[in-house]
Amino acid sequence: MEEKIIEKFGNKLRVRVCGILIEKDKILLIKHISIGKNGVLWAPPGGGMQFGESAEETIRREFEEETGLKIKVDRFLFTHEFLNPRLHAIELFFEVSRLGGALKTGYDPEMKKNEQIITDAAYLDIDQVREMDHDSIHNVLRKVTNLKDLLYLDGYVKFEEFT
């Protein structure tokens, strides 16, 4: 499966848009399989921009695909660069709030039905995130001690990469 992911997303620069949704001191995260050092990656909802699509349109579309939620984009937070030998992405992070919809585990339309990599969508508190294996959470979550810290990051942010 990892080779299929590299075939779809690898060896090129991608622009991704991601949303930070915090409700009742919990952050909404998506569980991906076949990604990362341990084959699991929990990350904020988000995905690649399509040509002609604005960042706000992208994050609204991605949230609906991955979580079933309709959201409002509140404000731009920061830019994160993800770089490893086969994947390179510039990620634009926005603070978002929920407008409606019911949380569900969504899908990745770029992957075939029998090759889906999204396996869960869940609200997790900081203790649950910190209990996870370091290599199983998105870089921006690795050093966070309080979820609200994410809302105060700004500018260009580069955290340690997967090794």
Side-chain angles (χ1 to χ4, degrees):
M1 180 68 83
E2 184 177 341
E3 286 306 314
K4 291 183 188 291
I5 293 168
I6 297 301
E7 183 181 313
K8 290 270 186 202
F9 307 115
N11 302 310
K12 60 185 169 191
L13 176 63
R14 295 184 72 223
V15 178
R16 297 185 74 250
V17 184
C18 306
I20 303 293
L21 176 58
I22 299 173
E23 294 181 335
K24 299 179 184 174
D25 295 320
K26 294 184 177 189
I27 186 169
L28 179 59
L29 297 177
I30 303 299
K31 181 180 180 183
H32 301 83
I33 58 169
S34 301
I35 297 178
K37 187 176 181 180
N38 296 329
V40 172
L41 181 68
W42 284 88
M49 291 182 75
Q50 298 173 357
F51 182 79
E53 183 179 54
S54 73
E56 289 188 4
E57 290 168 332
T58 300
I59 193 60
R60 285 192 299 265
R61 174 182 52 77
E62 289 289 340
F63 254 79
E64 194 160 356
E65 289 170 357
E66 294 183 0
T67 71
L69 299 179
K70 299 234 186 248
I71 54 117
K72 173 178 74 112
V73 178
D74 295 322
R75 67 186 173 106
F76 176 72
L77 295 172
F78 59 92
T79 300
H80 173 258
E81 183 174 12
F82 176 83
L83 179 61
N84 84 8
R86 295 168 61 175
L87 298 171
H88 189 185
I90 301 299
E91 299 175 311
L92 308 174
F93 279 82
F94 289 83
E95 179 181 10
V96 302
S97 52
R98 180 174 17 173
L99 292 176
L103 181 62
K104 67 177 184 175
T105 300
Y107 63 96
D108 187 333
E110 294 172 302
M111 302 298 288
K112 294 178 183 174
K113 189 172 184 172
N114 64 339
E115 297 174 346
Q116 286 297 303
I117 59 175
I118 295 174
T119 61
D120 199 3
Y123 283 97
L124 303 173
D125 63 36
I126 190 61
D127 293 332
Q128 292 170 299
V129 172
R130 293 181 60 77
E131 287 172 7
M132 289 182 186
D133 184 292
H134 185 262
D135 292 317
S136 296
I137 57 175
H138 190 284
N139 295 350
V140 301
L141 299 168
R142 290 182 178 176
K143 294 184 180 177
V144 172
T145 57
N146 180 324
L147 293 176
K148 301 261 187 217
D149 292 347
L150 291 169
L151 304 179
Y152 298 106
L153 292 173
D154 66 354
Y156 173 80
V157 179
K158 186 168 187 205
F159 295 100
E160 62 188 79
E161 303 301 338
F162 295 107
T163 55

